[in-house]
Each structure stands twice: as structure tokens, then as C-alpha cells.
Amino acid sequence: MGGEKSKPKPEEPPLLDEPWRKINSGDKQHDLQYVRDYKPQTEGQQLRILLHGPAGAGKSSFINSVQSVLLGRMYRQALADNISHSCFTKKYSTFRIQRENPDTFYPFILNDIMGLSPQKGVQVDDVKLAFTGHLKEGYVFNPGSKLSEGNEFYNKSPTVNDKVHVLVCIVPAHTLSSMSDETVQKIRDIRLEASRLGIPQVAILTKVDQACPEINKDLKNVYRSKYMKERMEQFSANVGIPMNCIFPVKNYHEEIKLNDDTDALILSVLRHIINYGDDFINWKAE
């Protein structure tokens, strides 16, 4: 009848009926063993993984989370900042990942750099120098100028192990929509240079539990969350990284015990990072 009010449309459920990407419960042990067994084809080869992204994205927390998962206990090696939203990491830092025996390490290393930010962040040109192995450990980033060839921290003769083999962009899922255009442009510029050099790229969306209530309730919902899938698709469109190279992760930051669901996401992306980097090393060796 003309006087009847139209019924409001029911709200769309926040979760998909089925996960659009599947991680099985048994994948954690499978991926863990894969990482533990990884060995480059060339003796003495180190797979170098460079982390970059906005300040406060969780780069240092990801390094600590990787080490914790592989050791089977909580571990803090990279200092993470829970107070400041500015760039906490100031130096070009290298982190070797320890095996269960304290004197032995995995054949891959993680590099942390100063965060990207519109005014005070790392120079894009310095990131490009890191790609080709010209940055030495301990170099203090200067937001006002790039590293010069005459600087003591400029590596004039980089080896294969000094060069970057895979680039990982780490961004916080809960603030993706408010990321500045300048930061997005820096991510694009860095990605274009990596692509020019043939360096494979992966993106990690951290703090997924803060981005979506359904994921906060149960981390298993990460690939059922419509909101998270939309955020990943939007980031892919903004910076050009394909969806199958983007991974949601929850870092350890307040927990005192490991969690299987958290471990599974970290190991899933770590396995892909190692595969992409190893493919690049073998391709360069041909």
C-alpha cells in the first residue's frame, strides 16, 4: 500500500561463508619445517630481506615475531616502539635469525630501515642504495640528504650477500585509509626501482586485529573478513603489488605465549618471502 514504509535492507554480514584464501591447521608445522630446512643452493649464500614501510607499521615487531615463532618462545631482538608514532628505527640494522643452537643462524637475514613518512622519513634514494648493497650496517639515516659515496658507510664494493634479494613492504591495516599520498608515492617509487632491478616484492598488512572486530574476536576470520579483503584490494590498486603477494599478519606485541593461529600467518608469509628471494638468487646466478 502507498502508506507502507519500505523495509530497510538487512545489513550485509561482515564475514564470507568460506575463506577466500585457505590456511589449513596443519600448515603451521609444514611451513615451520620448510623454513627450518631451507638452504640456498650456493654455499655461504645469505638471503637478504629488506623491510620498509611507514613509521609505526610494525617492522621491528615482525622481526621479533619471526624469531619468536622459529625459536618456539617469545624473543625480543629488534627494539619496538609502542609510544611514539614517529620513526623509531634510525639506523640501517641487520638481524640474523637464531636457530635453537645459539651459535647457529638461518641462512636469511632481515634488514630494518627508518620508516617512510612525508617529511622526516627515510630518503627513497637511500633505500635504492640498500638494494644494490651500498649501505653498510649501522648507517644513520638522514631525512634531509641521501648517503654520499664519500661517506664511511658507503660500501664501494658490495658482494652478492650485501645486495637485497626480496623487498617486503609492511603497512598497518587499521590506518591504511588514512595513509598520506606522499607515503603512498614513496612506496610506489621504491617498488618501481625494485622492479627495475628484478627484485621480488611482498606486502604485509599488520595489526589486522585492530582493523576488524571479527578478526579481533577470532584470528581465523582473517580470510573471511570482507573488510580485510577490501583493504588488501585497495592497497594492491594503490601501489601495484598483486593480491597474491599481499599477506595479513598479526605480530606479537602484548602476548606472553605463542599462538598457533598467529604463528600460521607469520610462517605462511615467511615461506613465500623465502621462496621469492631464493628464486631471485637462482635467477641472478644463471
Side-chain angles (χ1 to χ4, degrees), residues 103-122:
D103 297 325
T104 58
F105 298 87
Y106 284 91
F108 55 86
I109 53 180
L110 298 165
N111 276 112
D112 193 11
I113 64 172
M114 190 179 196
L116 303 173
S117 65
Q119 287 83 32
K120 297 182 179 180
V122 64

Side-chain angles (χ1 to χ4, degrees), residues 128-183:
K128 293 177 180 179
L129 287 174
F131 287 162
T132 50
H134 289 296
L135 286 192
K136 287 184 180 180
E137 165 80 9
Y139 168 64
V140 178
F141 293 100
N142 181 355
S145 63
K146 71 172 184 176
L147 175 68
S148 64
E149 289 190 24
N151 191 292
E152 62 178 311
F153 286 97
Y154 184 89
N155 184 4
K156 294 181 180 179
S157 304
T159 66
V160 174
N161 281 346
D162 293 326
K163 298 178 181 180
V164 170
H165 305 113
V166 59
L167 175 69
V168 179
C169 179
I170 297 185
V171 293
H174 69 311
T175 58
L176 265 182
S177 58
S178 60
M179 190 183 299
S180 71
D181 292 341
E182 292 88 350
T183 299

Side-chain angles (χ1 to χ4, degrees), residues 251-271:
N251 287 330
Y252 286 111
H253 64 285
E254 62 183 10
E255 300 81 359
I256 59 173
K257 290 185 178 180
L258 299 181
N259 173 275
D260 283 346
D261 295 330
T262 302
D263 289 359
L265 292 176
I266 292 168
L267 286 167
S268 173
V269 66
L270 183 59
R271 177 171 182 166

Side-chain angles (χ1 to χ4, degrees), residues 1 24 31 41 43 52 54 62-63 84 114 122 137 203-204 214-215 219 241 271:
M1 293 184 183
N24 299 316
D31 288 344
Q41 290 184 16
E43 188 70 30
H52 78 107
F62 179 71
I63 293 169
S84 172
M114 190 179 196
V122 64
E137 165 80 9
I204 296 175
E214 301 302 323
I215 297 175
L219 195 56
I241 297 176
R271 177 171 182 166

